[in-house]
Amino acid sequence: MSCVPLPPCAHPLRKLTQPSDPSSPPPFLSSRHTLVVSLSQDGVTYLHSKNIIHRDLKPENVLYRTPPGSHPDVGHDDLVLSDFGLAAYVERNGGRLYTVAGSAGYSAPEMYPEEGVVNGQGQGRGYGLKADVWSLGIIGASFFRSPGSSHRLH
């Protein structure tokens, strides 16, 4: 796997989605956040085509390489996924992982099986590439939640 260094001007998605006034609604319009999730999904689809699971997808790990809206000629913003420290290879044809990884609130429920976790290893049936899809859904749902809101996403 090769790594591409990000320019020092990368802009975190979380910062750009937080209004300056906590009582205001999130600043993204639905077309903008739909694009963010769609472009993030493109990145995850690429990883999954190589049987790589990210395992730590969250808004802080989705970055704009350039300020939003700075590429009108291309028709979309330039997003990248970052922080591959927990990424792992998943065996082809339904390989499973058991190590609990990622950020609470964005990790798929199958990482925390009913059978419990012992020494960081889930005792259930494990999880596969689809765990990243759950995290993308939580990222998308987070656009509909006001910052400072006490509502939890389930």
Side-chain angles (χ1 to χ4, degrees):
M1 175 189 316
S2 63
C3 295
V4 177
L6 291 174
C9 60
H11 306 275
L13 177 64
R14 169 68 73 204
K15 183 177 179 184
L16 295 169
T17 60
Q18 298 296 321
S20 53
D21 176 6
S23 64
S24 328
F28 269 14
L29 302 172
S30 81
S31 63
R32 171 69 50 93
H33 74 257
T34 300
L35 180 63
V36 166
V37 173
S38 175
L39 291 173
S40 299
Q41 179 184 349
D42 289 349
V44 169
T45 298
Y46 175 78
L47 290 175
H48 289 183
S49 76
K50 306 292 183 194
N51 280 30
I52 297 170
I53 184 172
H54 188 282
R55 297 200 295 186
D56 197 20
L57 291 172
K58 56 187 176 181
E60 292 81 0
N61 290 340
V62 178
L63 303 175
Y64 280 96
R65 277 204 283 201
T66 56
S70 62
H71 291 289
D73 53 319
V74 177
H76 62 79
D77 293 327
D78 191 10
L79 291 174
V80 294
L81 300 177
S82 66
D83 190 359
F84 288 83
L86 296 177
Y89 179 79
V90 178
E91 292 295 326
R92 295 192 184 281
N93 301 319
R96 310 300 283 171
L97 299 174
Y98 297 89
T99 303
V100 176
S103 298
Y106 294 96
S107 300
E110 51 268 38
M111 285 192 186
Y112 307 95
E114 291 179 8
E115 297 85 354
V117 175
V118 176
N119 295 327
Q121 299 291 310
Q123 302 301 300
R125 297 181 308 169
Y127 58 91
L129 297 171
K130 292 179 183 176
D132 279 346
V133 177
W134 173 275
S135 301
L136 279 177
I138 297 298
I139 291 170
S142 71
F143 291 127
F144 295 101
R145 193 178 89 188
S146 296
S149 165
S150 61
H151 301 307
R152 292 190 47 141
L153 300 172
H154 298 311

